């Protein structure tokens, strides 16, 4: 009798330990997933802020479109509005792919593979966004000037000094943002790598 009781107790204890291990593993996966998402929030929040600014800029341009008189500036104005709506959509769509990587629903290999694909996609789309934003800077500057009743040709050194400095500042800011995004992506990847350890 004692041997059978010990066997039953041993089996019950083994089952409890197995359940505890599963529960612990699940908790670690959930914590890792939360940590991963918080790392991506370092990219998400600035992108949301930038998207709001872009949408407000597009609304401003739509509301003041009648101030644009020259047909070429109207074309530039329409392109600027399209870019102001398109840039945030591209950026947020590429970021949503990264946020869909769910460690608790995938194996480690699937999560890493999915993350790697989404990371490459995100980085390519961010570089495209920088190029499109530079195009926006080029075509929107004269449009905003005309909306304010100013002619760029009357501003001395605009194309020789002011605009090139603006482009340099924009490119410097873009490189800084991309470095910060890559750093956040590296931290997110490190978080995913912690699961296998």
């Amino acid at each position: 009798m004692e041997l059978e009781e010990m066997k039953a107790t041993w089996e019950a204890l083994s089952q409890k330990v197995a359940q505890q291990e599963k529960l612990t593993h699940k908790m670690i996966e959930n914590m890792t997933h939360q940590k991963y998402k918080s790392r991506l929030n370092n990219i998400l929040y600035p992108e949301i802020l930038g998207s709001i600014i872009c949408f407000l800029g597009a609304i401003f341009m739509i509301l003041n479109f009648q101030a644009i008189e020259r047909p070429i500036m109207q074309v530039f104005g329409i392109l600027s509005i399209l870019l102001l709506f398109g840039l945030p959509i591209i950026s947020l769509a590429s970021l949503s792919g990264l946020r869909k990587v769910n460690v608790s629903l995938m194996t480690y290999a699937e999560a890493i593979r999915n993350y790697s694909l989404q990371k490459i996609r995100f980085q390519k789309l961010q570089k495209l966004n920088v190029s499109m934003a530079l195009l926006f800077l080029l075509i929107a500057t004269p449009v905003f000037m005309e909306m304010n009743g100013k002619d760029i040709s009357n501003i001395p050194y605009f194309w020789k000094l002011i605009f090139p400095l603006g482009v340099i500042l924009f490119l410097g800011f873009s490189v800084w943002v991309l470095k910060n995004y890559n750093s956040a992506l590296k931290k997110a990847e490190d978080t995913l790598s912690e699961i296998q350890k």
Side-chain angles (χ1 to χ4, degrees):
M1 273 289 252
E2 286 182 17
L3 186 59
E4 286 187 23
E5 284 179 13
M6 285 178 62
K7 257 184 169 177
T9 305
W10 183 259
E11 286 177 16
L13 188 60
S14 294
Q15 286 177 350
K16 283 183 182 180
V17 168
Q19 286 175 341
Q20 190 66 29
E21 283 179 7
K22 286 180 185 177
L23 188 62
T24 302
H25 186 68
K26 196 69 170 165
M27 286 174 57
I28 290 171
E29 285 178 347
N30 287 337
M31 287 171 48
T32 302
H33 184 67
Q34 290 304 317
K35 190 175 177 183
Y36 170 79
K37 280 203 167 189
S38 74
R39 299 282 190 203
L40 291 181
N41 286 342
N42 292 335
I43 299 173
L44 179 66
Y45 296 143
E47 284 298 313
I48 288 173
L49 179 63
S51 297
I52 291 169
I53 291 169
C54 284
F55 291 141
L56 290 175
I59 291 168
F60 173 80
M61 289 188 83
I62 290 169
L63 294 175
N64 294 297
F65 196 78
Q66 74 279 358
I68 305 171
E69 296 174 2
R70 294 184 288 171
I72 188 71
M73 289 300 148
Q74 289 175 345
V75 170
F76 284 172
I78 291 169
L79 286 173
S80 297
I81 292 167
L82 291 174
L83 284 170
L84 283 171
F85 281 119
L87 289 170
I89 291 170
I90 291 170
S91 187
L92 293 175
S94 66
L95 187 57
S96 75
L98 280 169
R99 292 182 55 82
K100 287 181 183 174
V101 176
N102 191 340
V103 179
S104 54
L105 299 178
M106 301 176 182
T107 66
Y108 172 75
E110 288 172 335
I112 291 294
R113 184 177 35 244
N114 195 353
Y115 170 80
S116 297
L117 292 172
Q118 294 301 328
K119 176 183 170 184
I120 291 167
R121 179 175 170 254
F122 176 79
Q123 289 173 325
K124 284 181 181 178
L125 288 174
Q126 284 303 313
K127 289 175 185 172
L128 174 67
N129 261 1
V130 169
S131 302
M132 290 173 58
L134 189 58
L135 173 65
F136 168 77
L137 182 65
L138 179 65
I139 64 174
T141 302
V143 173
F144 279 121
M145 298 296 268
E146 186 162 320
M147 282 181 173
N148 291 319
K150 296 179 182 175
D151 187 6
I152 288 180
S153 60
N154 294 335
I155 300 173
Y157 303 109
F158 181 81
W159 291 111
K160 291 180 182 178
L161 181 66
I162 297 170
F163 188 76
L165 283 175
V167 169
I168 290 169
L169 287 173
F170 169 79
L171 290 175
F173 178 75
S174 297
V175 167
W176 177 76
V177 167
L178 291 176
K179 280 185 180 179
N180 282 336
Y181 283 4
N182 286 335
S183 173
L185 290 172
K186 175 72 174 122
K187 289 176 183 174
E189 187 173 0
D190 292 344
T191 300
L192 288 178
S193 298
E194 289 173 6
I195 290 178
Q196 196 177 28
K197 294 177 183 177

